[in-house]
Amino acid sequence: MTEHIGTTCVQGGYRPGDAEPRQIPIYQSTTWKYDTSEHMGRLFDLEEAGYFYTRLQNPTNDYVAAKICELEGGTAAMLTSSGQAANFFAMFNIAGAGDHIVASSAIYGGTYNLLAVTMKRMGIESTFVSPDCTPEELDAAFQENTKAVFGETIANPALAVLDIEKFASAAHAHGVPLIVDNTFPTPVNCRPFEWGADIVTHSTTKYMDGHGAGVGGCIVDSGKFDWMAHADKFPGLTTPDESYHGVTYAERFGNEGAFITKATAQLMRDLGSIQSPQNAFLLNMGLESLHVRMAQHCKNGQAVAEFLQAHPKVSWVRFSGLESDPYHELAQKYLPNGGCGVVSFGVVGGRPAAEKFMAALKLAQIATHVADARTCCLHPASSTHRQMNDEELAAAGIGADLVRMSCGIESTEDLIADIAQALETV
């Protein structure tokens, strides 16, 4: 039976048997007991599925990862300790020292820093391209050692909408996968695999959790990228891994499972960025209402964007649901049911006016967070993106006057009233 996505939000990933817990159990244990060393040896050799140490895998996490995998339409998934860990693992799983990544410049500041600074120190270079680049400009960014393309469905906080098909076409023409961070729309509003993406990542801390209760991330594999067809580019997947008993992931687990199995057996083993079972349990509670919450987030975002657009003290508004937005046409294609509840805008008077406006808000809270049940706002240039210079901020679509407002699920009328009174103080 084909389920609607709302049913998968509620019941995907875990179906209890007779007299089993109706809610996903929390396996709050570091280790598992086995009767024989031979049994545990089969687990270490990846000859048998099972659990032995929570640093690598945990049943609670796997139930929740399976739900997200179903929601995205993938073949395998894993949870990580954060969205940053998910993006790092997704790229580092196929790129190492001497390799290269092509990335959209309009991405979250932390991810930009991960690519431009931290992964560069590890010997992985990145070329950043505008999400609005022509196919020719995108093609020119590739090098012989390019191993992946990365972008965000809806960029945080520039709110640029990624032309997934354009980026996927370029990636595949060069024999590499497209990795898309789908945090803002969630699979309720966009499923990047249907548009050609190969790997999807999430900061589950955001809409998926929905309550600001637990930090986490997720990687989902579409199972569609043919690693063996590009064996010379991806030796980590297509040649024996001597650090794991000589297993060749692409041969043993096929396109459907190779990527996630390698990321678990190798990266999670060595780096240990596992999501705690307690956080995975909280995440699942959030996922159960994701389809209901996203509708209200989008409704509030649209109403707030329309109000701001008509206000004389607002200099500009970015929200793809507005017909005047430069990404409206792409949003109609990729996000026909709405994108997210995040609105970016500028207050007349620049940075001082933006800071005065934010200080006057009563319902909306100033917080580093975004995309949960409570409306919050942030000045990215002085917080999440403060490590970027003016040129880098401009390339990412973030001006010094930009205010990012994440519309929660409160009453639409109350939100607009709060914004109106705050603007009166400017």
Side-chain angles (χ1 to χ4, degrees):
M1 167 174 91
T2 301
E3 294 176 354
H4 290 85
I5 203 159
T7 302
T8 305
C9 283
V10 178
Q11 295 202 20
Y14 172 74
R15 296 293 173 89
D18 185 46
E20 291 183 344
R22 189 162 182 243
Q23 180 55 274
I24 288 176
I26 304 172
Y27 285 81
Q28 197 65 49
S29 179
T30 60
T31 44
W32 276 255
K33 174 261 183 188
Y34 289 94
D35 290 338
T36 66
S37 295
E38 288 78 12
H39 188 182
M40 185 170 282
R42 292 196 296 275
L43 301 181
F44 273 91
D45 287 343
L46 302 178
E47 293 174 354
E48 187 176 315
Y51 302 91
F52 48 85
Y53 199 44
T54 284
R55 190 181 77 231
L56 282 88
Q57 281 181 288
N58 178 286
T60 307
N61 293 26
D62 284 353
Y63 286 136
V64 181
K67 175 180 283 190
I68 297 172
C69 190
E70 285 184 42
L71 288 169
E72 286 287 7
T75 59
M78 66 188 293
L79 297 188
T80 61
S81 58
S82 67
Q84 281 290 86
N87 283 332
F88 173 61
F89 274 28
M91 291 184 277
F92 195 59
N93 203 32
I94 50 177
D99 289 334
H100 175 256
I101 290 170
V102 174
S104 168
S105 61
I107 54 177
Y108 167 60
T111 310
Y112 182 94
N113 201 66
L114 170 67
L115 284 159
V117 179
T118 304
M119 290 178 69
K120 184 176 182 179
R121 289 176 58 206
M122 301 168 73
I124 303 169
E125 297 287 337
S126 295
T127 298
F128 295 93
V129 296
S130 167
D132 309 324
C133 65
T134 65
E136 293 74 22
E137 290 168 335
L138 180 54
D139 184 72
F142 285 82
Q143 301 175 9
E144 283 296 315
N145 58 343
T146 300
K147 295 298 175 73
V149 180
F150 177 85
E152 294 177 358
T153 315
I154 301 177
N156 174 18
L159 302 185
V161 176
L162 189 72
D163 190 341
I164 301 172
E165 285 191 317
K166 177 179 75 176
F167 276 75
S169 177
H172 298 158
H174 289 270
V176 301
L178 171 63
I179 302 170
V180 173
D181 184 327
N182 198 37
T183 296
F184 268 12
T186 81
V188 170
N189 285 337
C190 183
R191 304 215 308 173
F193 294 155
E194 296 174 358
W195 301 101
D198 301 289
I199 309 291
V200 159
T201 61
H202 286 276
S203 170
T204 62
T205 317
K206 310 304 190 297
Y207 286 121
M208 283 186 166
D209 172 280
H211 303 93
V215 175
C218 185
I219 308 170
V220 186
D221 184 8
S222 69
K224 294 177 181 177
F225 193 84
D226 191 342
W227 304 107
M228 292 304 291
H230 308 283
D232 58 327
K233 279 184 176 288
F234 305 104
L237 284 157
T238 61
T239 61
D241 177 6
E242 298 307 331
S243 77
Y244 223 101
H245 320 292
V247 64
T248 299
Y249 297 102
E251 289 180 353
R252 176 80 67 85
F253 303 101
N255 293 335
E256 296 77 15
F259 187 88
I260 295 297
T261 304
K262 178 179 180 292
T264 301
Q266 202 179 76
L267 301 186
M268 198 63 85
R269 173 198 65 194
D270 294 345
L271 300 172
S273 300
I274 194 75
Q275 188 169 147
S276 78
Q278 181 68 54
N279 278 8
F281 176 83
L282 294 172
L283 167 58
N284 186 61
M285 297 285 280
L287 287 169
E288 290 178 350
S289 64
L290 179 63
H291 59 299
V292 179
R293 289 185 289 103
M294 285 308 293
Q296 181 67 11
H297 284 298
C298 292
K299 176 189 172 187
N300 279 345
Q302 185 71 34
V304 165
E306 291 174 1
F307 173 80
L308 291 169
Q309 188 178 47
H311 202 287
K313 292 185 179 179
V314 174
S315 51
W316 59 271
V317 182
R318 173 61 54 80
F319 185 78
S320 64
L322 296 174
E323 290 186 10
S324 59
D325 190 87
Y327 293 99
H328 183 70
E329 188 175 340
L330 275 179
Q332 292 296 104
K333 175 180 178 178
Y334 294 115
L335 307 156
N337 298 318
C340 64
V342 181
V343 182
S344 291
F345 60 98
V347 180
V348 173
R351 186 185 292 235
E355 291 175 348
K356 189 172 184 181
F357 161 76
M358 289 170 62
L361 290 166
K362 293 181 170 57
L363 221 125
Q365 305 156 358
I366 299 174
T368 308
H369 207 233
V370 65
D372 67 32
R374 291 166 295 278
T375 295
C376 56
C377 62
L378 192 73
H379 185 245
S382 59
S383 53
T384 55
H385 291 65
R386 68 181 299 127
Q387 77 277 11
M388 299 168 73
N389 59 38
D390 287 348
E391 185 177 307
E392 291 168 339
L393 285 169
I398 301 157
D401 64 337
L402 186 149
V403 174
R404 182 189 72 183
M405 178 163 284
S406 172
C407 299
I409 56 174
E410 303 94 342
S411 161
T412 309
E413 295 77 11
D414 289 341
L415 276 186
I416 290 176
D418 187 36
I419 294 166
Q421 68 81 25
L423 284 170
E424 286 304 309
T425 67
V426 176

